């Protein structure tokens, strides 16, 4: 365990396991860039002894974005999964960019949860969403397609190119704006 503090206040930490030939990061958290650089400096000072630093996480995270050089290698890739079980609550409780004032209607197909099935109107105003059932929509997708869109794992444009969303170009662009954000990742395997 190694921590980064400023004026007696904890700003970050890294916990790790040492094994033959590797430092295995278990947890990494930095509240700011200075803390991240301090933690990475600690790892860099010890990496020559162990040869390799390993971690679970996305390609762009607090560890990789602070490397002076891009000399890391992706060795394993696990695509994570999400299943939306309540479309209305999920859309209402998700955060959105506050300057956005947009509305879009889309149809969701869900063969398991009947309440998710149907047309939905999503109206954004000041970062808040109002979600209601509607009569018709030009955009269509399954609830399984809504999940990576909702999380930011994939854009509506990419999902449309893959044939997983159908709709007008304008509506697809609106969905891209609404669900834009950093790609999600998990730092734990369970």
């Amino acid at each position: 365990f190694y921590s980064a503090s400023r004026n007696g206040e904890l700003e970050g930490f890294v916990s790790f396991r040492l094994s033959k030939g590797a430092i295995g990061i278990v947890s990494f958290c930095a509240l700011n860039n200075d803390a991240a650089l301090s933690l990475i400096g600690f790892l860099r000072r010890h990496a020559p002894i162990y040869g390799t630093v390993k971690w679970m996480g996305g390609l762009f995270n607090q560890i990789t974005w602070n490397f002076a050089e891009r000399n890391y290698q992706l060795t394993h890739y696990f695509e994570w999964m999400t299943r939306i079980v309540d479309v209305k609550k999920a859309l209402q409780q998700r955060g959105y960019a506050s300057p956005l004032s947009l509305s879009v209607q889309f149809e969701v197909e869900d063969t398991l949860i009947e309440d998710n099935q149907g047309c939905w109107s999503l109206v954004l105003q000041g970062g808040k969403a109002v979600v209601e059932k509607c009569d018709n929509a030009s955009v269509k997708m399954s609830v399984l397609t809504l999940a990576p869109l909702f999380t930011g794992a994939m854009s509506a444009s990419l999902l449309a190119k893959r044939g997983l969303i159908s709709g007008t170009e304008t509506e697809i662009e609106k969905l891209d704006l609404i669900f834009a954000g950093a790609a999600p990742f998990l730092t734990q395997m369970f």
Side-chain angles (χ1 to χ4, degrees):
F1 183 85
Y2 179 80
S3 63
S5 300
R6 185 184 312 200
N7 301 325
E9 296 290 321
L10 181 67
E11 292 188 339
F13 68 89
V14 59
S15 62
F16 53 90
R17 291 189 183 109
L18 300 176
S19 64
K20 189 175 184 177
I23 300 172
I25 296 174
V26 176
S27 296
F28 185 99
C29 177
L31 298 180
N32 55 52
N33 200 51
D34 288 342
L37 289 172
S38 174
L39 299 173
I40 289 165
F42 169 81
L43 294 169
R44 290 182 89 159
R45 286 189 300 277
H46 291 82
I49 298 167
Y50 293 94
T52 304
V53 178
K54 297 180 179 183
W55 71 92
M56 297 284 293
L59 284 177
F60 304 106
N61 58 56
Q62 288 183 314
I63 298 171
T64 59
W65 74 49
N66 281 295
F67 281 159
E69 297 134 13
R70 302 291 179 223
N71 57 355
Y72 52 85
Q73 179 182 8
L74 177 66
T75 59
H76 300 293
Y77 175 77
F78 300 100
E79 202 164 309
W80 71 312
M81 298 177 285
T82 300
R83 205 309 178 180
I84 296 177
V85 295
D86 188 325
V87 168
K88 184 173 183 172
K89 281 186 181 176
L91 292 171
Q92 285 177 326
Q93 294 177 6
R94 183 189 188 277
Y96 299 93
S98 54
L100 285 180
S101 294
L102 287 171
S103 66
V104 66
Q105 290 75 38
F106 53 90
E107 184 177 338
V108 173
E109 178 188 330
D110 189 338
T111 58
L112 293 179
I113 302 173
E114 191 174 323
D115 288 346
N116 287 340
Q117 182 87 12
C119 293
W120 294 95
S121 170
L122 172 61
V123 179
L124 293 184
Q125 188 72 41
K128 302 288 183 201
V130 175
V131 182
E132 300 292 339
K133 286 281 196 166
C134 62
D135 293 328
N136 64 3
S138 64
V139 176
K140 294 179 179 16
M141 70 184 94
S142 75
V143 74
L144 301 178
T145 299
L146 178 59
L149 177 65
F150 174 86
T151 62
M154 293 184 189
S155 68
S157 296
L158 177 61
L159 292 164
K161 286 178 187 169
R162 291 185 172 181
L164 298 171
I165 292 180
S166 64
T168 67
E169 188 175 329
T170 300
E171 297 301 301
I172 299 295
E173 288 173 357
K174 283 185 191 179
L175 288 170
D176 280 342
L177 288 170
I178 290 169
F179 294 106
F185 65 89
L186 295 174
T187 58
Q188 304 290 324
M189 183 60 134
F190 52 92

